[in-house]
Amino acid sequence: IMDGVSVYESRLKMGEKLAYQIIEKYPDHDIDVVIPIPDTSRTSAVQAAYILGRPYREGFIKNRYIARTFIMPGQETRRKSVRLKLNTIKSEFAGRNVLLVDDSVVRGTTATEIIQMARDAGAKKVYMTSAAPPIRYPNIYGIDIPTRHELVAYERNDDEIAEKLGCDWIVYQRLNDLEDSVNEAGERSDQSYETSCFSGTYVTGESINDEYFAKLHDLRNDDAKLKKLESTGAAQAAKAGMPPGSHDGCENLQNDRRGAARA
């Protein structure tokens, strides 16, 4: 429960509204199976499968020792880390039209690799859905969302995003449906939310201008992050295609207490 809202129930609502939107846009869809991208999309995928009348299947096995890929510096590092993070169960993909459900799509690096993995596992068609609306703007209040130009949805429509990702089509949650999902699972029906990464409307208003975003870009783009890694001695791991960490990149450095124990 967060601020009186059941996270589980809100995710169920998100999956339900996604399914109805798919039925609205593609009434004659040929989806054979619904597969979540683990872990947080599972609840939405279960409900979407129920509404669509299609089986829910686990098609990916997750390596739980890989850090979040969308915040890793460098496109190649993120791409390789996705392959380390997930493995496919080929029998769930072979010869099927697959609907993949994710909680969000940020840069699109993870989604692109996962879609290709599904095709490599034998899927005939791969459809993509996101329980969140398209992320087209950076967050400036503490969440490490990249600059606008690094976001796959920035200045692209759904067809262009699908082409970029390599899927047959993509359906995003509508912003009003996302807000309704949370409100319906909570104690208030009229709660408003900070949705700047979806809408581009910032609660701090006119103080957020182009000059601010230019400064934000200089601080957050991939080159800036790699330079920061070099200054902390972690650049070699990044250039090798591994997230900075011990055990061949599978554990975050801050979790490695062995040096402290030896001292």
Side-chain angles (χ1 to χ4, degrees):
I1 305 293
M2 294 182 64
D3 295 328
V5 176
S6 167
V7 176
Y8 173 79
E9 290 182 15
S10 66
R11 286 175 173 167
L12 283 177
K13 295 286 185 181
M14 292 174 203
E16 178 180 312
K17 294 180 190 301
L18 262 180
Y20 283 126
Q21 189 182 164
I22 290 170
I23 293 170
E24 175 188 324
K25 290 186 173 182
Y26 302 101
D28 300 319
H29 69 79
D30 56 355
I31 296 167
D32 294 319
V33 63
V34 178
I35 294 178
I37 298 172
D39 286 309
T40 51
S41 65
R42 284 192 171 111
T43 309
S44 296
V46 165
Q47 189 68 357
Y50 175 77
I51 298 297
L52 291 169
R54 296 295 187 270
Y56 168 94
R57 292 289 187 269
E58 292 284 347
F60 295 100
I61 301 297
K62 182 179 179 180
N63 179 347
R64 299 183 181 278
Y65 300 96
I66 297 292
R68 293 300 301 272
T69 53
F70 88 90
I71 60 174
M72 291 178 180
Q75 188 77 353
E76 186 64 17
T77 299
R78 291 189 291 268
R79 189 190 67 79
K80 289 183 177 180
S81 295
V82 173
R83 295 277 179 166
L84 291 172
K85 184 177 182 178
L86 295 173
N87 290 289
T88 55
I89 302 173
K90 291 187 177 181
S91 60
E92 299 297 351
F93 294 92
R96 294 176 172 177
N97 299 327
V98 177
L99 176 68
L100 300 180
V101 181
D102 205 352
D103 55 1
S104 61
V105 180
V106 186
R107 286 185 177 94
T109 307
T110 301
T112 299
E113 286 299 314
I114 287 173
I115 289 164
Q116 186 57 52
M117 289 169 68
R119 295 195 188 280
D120 292 343
K124 290 195 298 184
K125 295 180 181 177
V126 181
Y127 306 120
M128 189 79 187
T129 55
S130 168
I135 299 173
R136 293 192 165 100
Y137 307 93
N139 181 280
I140 60 173
Y141 305 121
I143 300 175
D144 189 13
I145 287 180
T147 61
R148 284 179 286 187
H149 296 284
E150 293 177 338
L151 299 169
V152 71
Y154 180 63
E155 293 187 339
R156 291 187 178 100
N157 59 35
D158 287 0
D159 291 338
E160 291 168 336
I161 295 168
E163 182 179 359
K164 179 74 173 177
L165 298 178
C167 57
D168 292 274
W169 50 249
I170 187 168
V171 171
Y172 282 97
Q173 191 82 262
R174 298 185 181 107
L175 180 54
N176 63 301
D177 283 343
L178 176 65
E179 292 175 323
D180 288 345
S181 295
V182 179
N183 284 335
E184 290 168 13
E187 300 172 349
R188 293 179 55 182
S189 60
D190 60 345
Q191 180 67 48
S192 59
Y193 302 94
E194 199 290 301
T195 60
S196 58
C197 58
F198 308 125
S199 65
T201 302
Y202 295 88
V203 296
T204 41
E206 66 279 358
S207 62
I208 309 302
N209 51 33
D210 289 340
E211 182 181 352
Y212 183 92
F213 282 119
K215 182 179 179 181
L216 197 67
H217 178 272
D218 291 340
L219 291 172
R220 289 190 177 183
N221 68 72
D222 276 345
D223 289 340
K225 289 182 178 181
L226 287 172
K227 287 179 181 178
K228 186 175 181 180
L229 279 178
E230 290 174 358
S231 68
T232 60
Q236 185 175 358
K239 289 178 181 177
M242 293 289 191
S246 58
H247 304 312
D248 295 324
C250 291
E251 180 182 342
N252 192 286
L253 279 173
Q254 67 184 10
N255 295 330
D256 192 345
R257 299 288 185 258
R258 292 172 297 176
R262 286 194 296 269

